[in-house]
Amino acid sequence: MKINQFGVIETTFEQKINELTSIGFYDEKIQAAISKGSVPLLQALLEQAATSTAVTTKFDDYMVSEQQDLATFLATGQQVTVREFDALALQLLNFLESIDYTLADPEKAVAKIGLPLHNKPGEWDTDDVLNAWYDLLTTHTKGGLQLIDELVSHQYFKATNQSLFFNGKALATFDTNQLIKEVVYVETDLDTDDDGVKDLVRVDIIRPTTSQQVPTLFTASPYYQGTNDVQSDKKLHDVNVPLQRKVPNDLTYEDIAYQPAAPKKLTAHEQTGEATTATETFYPTSHVDLNNYFLSRGFAVAYSSGVGTRYSDGMQDTGSPEQVISMQAVVEWLAGNRTAFVDRKSGVTIKAHWSNGKVAMTGKSYLGTLATAVATTGVAGLETVISEAAISDYYQYYRDNGLVIAPGGFPGEDMDVLAELVYSRMQDAGDWHRTKTQWEQFQKQTVIDMDRTTGNYNTYWDARNYLKNVSNIKADIVMVHGLNDWNVKPRQVFRLYQKLQELDVVKKLYLHQGQHIYINNNRSLDFSDQMNLWLSYKLYDVENHAGEQLPDLTWQSNQAPETWETRQSWGTTTPTKISLANVQTPVSYTDKQTKLAYTSYSQDYNRWRSLMIDRDVHELDHSRVVFLQPKQKQDLLIDGEVSLQLRIKSSTNVGLVSAMLVDYGDASRLTTKPVPQGSQIDRGINWQPTPLVEFQQAKTTPNKMITIGHINMQNRENAWRVNDLRPDEYVDLTLTLQPTLYQLTAGHQLGIVIYGTDFEMTVRGNQKITYTIDTKHSQLLVPVVPSE
């Protein structure tokens, strides 16, 4: 086992004493013990810790060596050394002897696991014991929490409903049995249902009962008020259709650039009075775990589904400027800059009197997408964003390089399908009856605007490209993304990360080996601790130097479990050119499958992909070309975007190119879905426990897809310009694959698989098309980090 803690800050001895005093570990009893020496001090600290049910005062249940239990050690009055303390610390942290450590050499286990414990040779004085105790409290247990959090979750404190910080992080001192749940309706400057009146959006708030003002974590989630799964599935588009020839054009970006419409004059809701308390409450639904963690630590949490959702006004329009503005309005109300009402009809307004005006936005996928999008408005009050697996450009989600592309695992989904899923107004019969006709017309227009026929970038998509507005961002940004996320693919965070380098804001990036997941309950990385450090700094103004303490880029190694490394950048490596002319030229492949094979692959695209990257398979040899590099003599780190420069021709006047970069070599690779570890992390005191998980090594496999890419041969210049394509006429194109950060192990081979139809992501025309590559004029560009 290995634990990586980046959220522990260095603290002066004086500050440690002050903090230990604040949490009851430096009182009169402790001070009296100090005068008697290091061993009595250690005993007094343990007795104080035992006021929590996590620590026992049966000192003979602890061992300090193979020959001596703790009770005997304390009775002898021997001096404390690092060996005895490490042995005791491992037990207090719930590690198991003979499994996680040995009493013969506890220091070895401490180093191997990565525990940030006090490490001074020789005999310890009382200052050493105090230093060591402080460091122990900031160290993670085997169960996933800092020891101080473990003590607190086992009733070390009585809830005070006042903020208390330790090592720069907020402690769980707020009683979650007393949380206030209230509803407000924020007035926007939108009229998405064209009734001439400003749209209202509902906001559900959960906040501590306290006399202090608190900051807010706001999650913008169109899913929050319910989803229409059956109706949405009925709208899935047929992907078993041919690739269409497109009429060539000479469009420039200026021809399709989005320009906001002039604002309409709208009627505001009448204001009849002002209340200090809300009149509506709600029954909590499924909430974001990271938000739950902060509720017990003195942060309010707000959820809103925005326009076009249950209990709100308007039409649902995936990723639109209007959807973003509706979420921006919620931030403005939380910051004290907008009007909200206690209900939809009375006209009684309410202010967020409990708010300190500071807001962070949190969430994964659609939730993180809207957090990113709201940040690009530059709205006041938004101090930071923690976006996980977020979209920064919707075209890159449902389209790519002139092709209709499905998110991994969701063939046939598109903007209208997602809108149907979250138009939760249809869940109330009366609201659905009033809006049904308008909604159906709205959806018809969406289908036209999103244009599945050509797959080109147009004004509709330009309006949903948040990268254009990155220069407006004033909030500091934390980004988290999986390098094996083929739903929201890595390019989404890569492009945002690149753009943010131009801005004077703090930007932190976490790259993990997972798919489309949260990492806040990961065992080997202290992500929740780090976000606690970050939000205590950003929203409570705690001087903990979080901006400097947290790494700029944290990367989970793909070679070894529980290994997280820090890096300075991503994607700045100069590509190395690899010729493809090591085979006969030209080489050809065809896209046509037998009827039986076509049906099989359409029904099971995972099997198709597995066969496609298997270098020994013969079933799909006619549909691909595989270029293999020699076995690596040493490890090779690929950092950024791999590009494939091809001279290629199609036997017809349409064509698409797909490619996968593959690691060939037997290895026990990490799972891309974390595995539960059999224990729960408590998010406060008996509050919202969540499973502790970890990426583990799976059984040995012969290969792994590193990254992937697709392009329409008619969009070889850009996504809006359509070029002609003539049968059997070579064209030059560059296909840039999804960015990666991947360590290829010595003895493995790097391979590139080139093919046409992708049964998971592209349309499946099963057209009789033969593609031919001129290998002499084709090459692979791989950004390889030079060996040290």
Side-chain angles (χ1 to χ4, degrees):
M1 180 186 297
K2 187 176 181 182
I3 297 174
N4 303 265
Q5 286 190 249
F6 299 106
V8 179
I9 60 174
E10 292 188 11
T11 310
T12 65
F13 183 72
E14 181 182 8
Q15 183 63 26
K16 287 180 180 180
I17 296 301
N18 289 337
E19 291 186 34
L20 288 171
T21 302
S22 71
I23 62 172
F25 276 112
Y26 196 80
D27 57 11
E28 292 180 358
K29 181 180 178 182
I30 302 296
Q31 292 177 48
I34 289 174
S35 64
K36 299 175 183 178
S38 61
V39 170
L41 171 59
L42 179 60
Q43 180 171 345
L45 290 167
L46 287 166
E47 290 171 349
Q48 178 64 18
T51 58
S52 158
T53 59
V55 175
T56 178
T57 53
K58 293 172 130 183
F59 291 156
D60 57 354
D61 284 344
Y62 298 102
M63 299 291 291
V64 296
S65 69
E66 292 178 308
Q67 295 79 31
Q68 194 174 46
D69 64 37
L70 176 62
T72 303
F73 174 76
L74 293 174
T76 63
Q78 297 172 246
Q79 289 293 99
V80 180
T81 71
V82 68
R83 174 157 295 192
E84 289 87 15
F85 192 87
D86 280 359
L88 175 59
L90 287 162
Q91 294 162 76
L92 292 171
L93 297 171
N94 300 321
F95 292 97
L96 299 178
E97 189 202 356
S98 302
I99 296 176
D100 302 312
Y101 70 95
T102 66
L103 287 168
D105 193 358
E107 300 106 307
K108 181 179 178 181
V110 167
K112 182 179 179 181
I113 298 169
L115 304 178
L117 296 176
H118 189 65
N119 184 23
K120 178 187 172 183
E123 294 184 348
W124 286 5
D125 59 22
T126 56
D127 284 2
D128 289 316
V129 173
L130 289 169
N131 271 309
W133 188 258
Y134 181 95
D135 293 349
L136 174 61
L137 291 174
T138 68
T139 300
H140 265 220
T141 69
K142 186 176 181 178
L145 295 174
Q146 290 184 114
L147 180 57
I148 183 61
D149 286 329
E150 179 98 347
L151 297 181
V152 171
S153 71
H154 286 76
Q155 287 85 44
Y156 176 74
F157 287 127
K158 289 183 178 180
T160 62
N161 289 328
Q162 294 292 315
S163 289
L164 182 60
F165 300 88
F166 188 79
N167 195 241
K169 295 175 281 290
L171 292 176
T173 53
F174 290 78
D175 188 349
T176 51
N177 292 313
Q178 298 179 15
L179 293 173
I180 298 168
K181 305 175 186 70
E182 59 191 2
V183 178
V184 302
Y185 297 85
V186 173
E187 184 179 61
T188 72
D189 293 328
L190 302 166
D191 179 21
T192 59
D193 50 14
D194 293 323
D195 63 358
V197 180
K198 293 184 176 184
D199 292 342
L200 295 178
V201 294
R202 171 171 163 140
V203 184
D204 287 6
I205 300 155
I206 314 173
R207 59 184 177 87
T209 297
T210 179
S211 60
Q212 71 181 57
Q213 289 189 315
V214 299
T216 309
L217 307 189
F218 168 41
T219 296
S221 172
Y223 305 123
Y224 177 75
Q225 293 295 350
T227 56
N228 311 310
D229 298 78
V230 173
Q231 297 92 324
S232 177
D233 287 347
K234 288 179 180 178
K235 280 194 169 290
L236 287 170
H237 297 271
D238 184 8
V239 297
N240 294 339
V241 296
L243 181 68
Q244 298 283 344
R245 172 170 171 78
K246 297 189 275 193
V247 177
N249 65 45
D250 293 315
L251 287 176
T252 65
Y253 172 71
E254 288 69 25
D255 294 326
I256 54 90
Y258 168 75
Q259 298 294 336
K264 295 185 290 186
K265 187 175 181 180
L266 304 175
T267 301
H269 291 260
E270 182 183 5
Q271 299 182 21
T272 60
E274 183 175 339
T276 56
T277 57
T279 58
E280 292 184 18
T281 187
F282 63 96
Y283 185 82
T285 59
S286 176
H287 291 141
V288 175
D289 176 62
L290 188 67
N291 292 351
N292 289 337
Y293 169 88
F294 280 102
L295 270 170
S296 63
R297 289 165 169 80
F299 296 75
V301 173
Y303 293 93
S304 179
S305 290
V307 287
T309 60
R310 197 177 191 189
Y311 311 125
S312 296
D313 297 328
M315 295 288 103
Q316 176 59 226
D317 192 1
T318 307
S320 67
E322 290 76 18
Q323 186 183 48
V324 175
I325 291 169
S326 75
M327 301 304 192
Q328 174 189 344
V330 176
V331 174
E332 290 171 338
W333 178 74
L334 291 166
N337 302 320
R338 184 164 285 276
T339 299
F341 297 89
V342 296
D343 56 41
R344 294 166 60 86
K345 297 190 179 292
S346 70
V348 176
T349 64
I350 187 169
K351 294 178 180 176
H353 57 86
W354 46 265
S355 170
N356 71 357
K358 293 178 180 288
V359 182
M361 291 189 71
T362 62
K364 173 177 72 73
S365 194
Y366 206 161
L367 290 58
T369 299
L370 285 168
T372 301
V374 172
T376 65
T377 69
V379 59
L382 182 62
E383 301 294 326
T384 188
V385 159
I386 303 172
S387 62
E388 307 188 49
I391 296 167
S392 58
D393 175 2
Y394 263 103
Y395 182 83
Q396 297 287 338
Y397 186 65
Y398 286 123
R399 305 286 185 272
D400 196 9
N401 295 318
L403 289 173
V404 173
I405 295 290
F410 298 94
E413 188 182 299
D414 215 320
M415 299 291 271
D416 61 325
V417 179
L418 184 52
E420 192 81 5
L421 179 69
V422 298
Y423 186 67
S424 45
R425 295 185 69 178
M426 65 175 64
Q427 296 186 16
D428 293 312
D431 203 14
W432 176 230
H433 180 76
R434 289 187 294 271
T435 64
K436 180 179 180 181
T437 299
Q438 184 180 17
W439 173 243
E440 290 174 345
Q441 288 300 122
F442 194 88
Q443 281 285 66
K444 287 179 181 178
Q445 188 61 48
T446 296
V447 172
I448 294 170
D449 293 342
M450 71 188 194
D451 182 17
R452 281 184 71 88
T453 303
T454 72
N456 291 341
Y457 188 91
N458 59 21
T459 305
Y460 175 88
W461 295 107
D462 197 51
R464 291 155 178 80
N465 182 357
Y466 310 128
L467 295 172
K468 300 189 315 165
N469 301 317
V470 165
S471 61
N472 296 329
I473 291 178
K474 297 180 177 63
D476 295 330
I477 308 292
V478 175
M479 298 156 282
V480 183
H481 215 100
L483 291 166
N484 289 288
D485 188 347
W486 307 118
N487 179 348
V488 178
K489 301 178 183 71
R491 182 174 296 143
Q492 298 285 353
V493 73
F494 184 73
R495 293 281 186 261
L496 175 61
Y497 177 73
Q498 286 182 316
K499 286 278 189 181
L500 286 172
Q501 302 311 308
E502 304 167 8
L503 300 186
D504 186 23
V505 298
V506 177
K507 42 267 181 187
K508 304 292 182 182
L509 175 61
Y510 297 80
L511 295 174
H512 58 80
Q513 294 299 327
Q515 299 177 4
H516 199 61
I517 61 168
Y518 283 111
I519 64 167
N520 46 280
N521 55 341
N522 182 270
R523 184 180 65 186
S524 62
L525 182 70
D526 62 337
F527 183 75
S528 291
D529 292 352
Q530 292 186 55
M531 294 305 97
N532 191 344
L533 191 77
W534 179 244
L535 293 182
S536 295
Y537 164 64
K538 290 299 300 180
L539 304 186
Y540 266 118
D541 297 322
V542 175
E543 290 296 334
N544 57 23
H545 309 290
E548 297 80 30
Q549 174 69 32
L550 300 182
D552 291 334
L553 195 161
T554 305
W555 169 61
Q556 183 189 12
S557 170
N558 60 279
Q559 287 186 314
E562 303 171 335
T563 302
W564 298 80
E565 301 176 7
T566 62
R567 301 184 62 81
Q568 297 300 313
S569 62
W570 182 31
T572 59
T573 304
T574 302
T576 298
K577 296 180 181 179
I578 300 175
S579 173
L580 300 183
N582 57 344
V583 296
Q584 65 180 18
T585 187
V587 294
S588 297
Y589 58 95
T590 181
D591 217 20
K592 184 73 173 177
Q593 307 294 336
T594 66
K595 185 176 181 181
L596 181 63
Y598 177 76
T599 301
S600 173
Y601 300 149
S602 297
Q603 293 174 346
D604 188 354
Y605 50 74
N606 288 319
R607 175 175 174 270
W608 164 83
R609 192 173 300 285
S610 178
L611 291 172
M612 184 61 80
I613 64 175
D614 185 347
R615 61 182 168 186
D616 299 322
V617 76
H618 299 288
E619 183 176 329
L620 281 168
D621 279 351
H622 69 286
S623 293
R624 64 178 187 170
V625 176
V626 182
F627 296 95
L628 279 173
Q629 295 303 302
K631 288 185 178 180
Q632 286 299 125
K633 294 181 180 180
Q634 59 185 11
D635 284 3
L636 179 150
L637 181 61
I638 303 170
D639 174 22
E641 293 180 309
V642 173
S643 293
L644 186 60
Q645 293 180 344
L646 292 178
R647 180 163 291 176
I648 187 170
K649 64 181 180 180
S650 166
S651 62
T652 71
N653 60 2
V654 298
L656 66 89
V657 180
S658 301
M660 291 183 283
L661 191 72
V662 182
D663 171 0
Y664 288 106
D666 290 342
S668 175
R669 296 177 168 90
L670 293 180
T671 56
T672 56
K673 291 183 179 179
V675 179
Q677 297 302 297
S679 58
Q680 301 273 317
I681 306 174
D682 200 341
R683 289 322 202 176
I685 301 175
N686 298 319
W687 168 247
Q688 299 293 326
T690 191
L692 186 67
V693 300
E694 186 55 68
F695 297 95
Q696 294 185 336
Q697 286 183 304
K699 64 181 181 179
T700 298
T701 56
N703 54 53
K704 174 180 172 52
M705 185 185 84
I706 301 171
T707 186
I708 194 169
H710 310 86
I711 191 171
N712 191 316
M713 292 176 68
Q714 287 195 263
N715 291 85
R716 52 190 180 271
E717 282 188 59
N718 55 56
W720 54 86
R721 174 79 183 276
V722 178
N723 299 111
D724 199 4
L725 186 67
R726 299 184 180 89
D728 293 317
E729 184 175 296
Y730 279 112
V731 296
D732 293 311
L733 61 83
T734 297
L735 171 55
T736 300
L737 279 60
Q738 295 290 328
T740 190
L741 190 57
Y742 188 88
Q743 191 92 35
L744 190 72
T745 303
H748 288 207
Q749 290 177 276
L750 188 66
I752 186 78
V753 182
I754 304 173
Y755 57 103
T757 296
D758 188 311
F759 276 81
E760 181 179 9
M761 297 182 184
T762 69
V763 294
R764 311 165 183 155
N766 206 31
Q767 293 150 286
K768 190 174 181 180
I769 305 174
T770 298
Y771 297 94
T772 304
I773 299 172
D774 176 358
T775 60
K776 286 185 178 180
H777 296 91
S778 299
Q779 61 184 356
L780 187 64
L781 302 179
V782 183
V784 177
V785 176
S787 302
E788 295 183 357

